[in-house]
Amino acid sequence: MKIQGKMFLWLSAFILIMAVVYGVWSKEPAGTTALFLAFGLSVMIGYYLAFTAKRVDAMAQDNKEADVADEAGELGFFSPHSWQPLSLAVGGALAFMGVVFGWWLLYFSAPVIMVGLWGWVYEYYRGENANQ
């Protein structure tokens, strides 16, 4: 985590220099403000990572002799197949078309979205994929 903290702090220095240069040359307040806000955000993230790195054990990325596989672990469970995202996509498309063509389409899209959401949440509680 020490490396990430240093990277963000160096990035914040670069953003600060660019904000000053952009502000002097362009005299445009919106972009200059956005760059100064990006500087502040980068400083906050860099400080947090550097502050946290002192309180946790050294990780593999802090060791110059570490191998890529040293920090490898389980990434999680990914569903092999599911029809629920398709239902949510159709319902979402209908909902956004309702904004364009008429709000009455939301009456048709809401049940499709709810069925897709319900199915996605509970797909591993029923059928052949049920966890016993």
Side-chain angles (χ1 to χ4, degrees), residues 1-12 46 49-50:
M1 285 177 89
K2 292 178 184 177
I3 298 296
Q4 290 94 339
K6 289 178 184 177
M7 285 173 51
F8 270 100
L9 291 175
W10 280 107
L11 177 67
S12 66
L49 289 173

Side-chain angles (χ1 to χ4, degrees), residues 94-109:
L94 276 173
F96 283 112
M97 284 195 316
V99 174
V100 174
F101 295 115
W103 293 101
W104 57 270
L105 270 174
L106 291 176
Y107 292 118
F108 297 103
S109 65

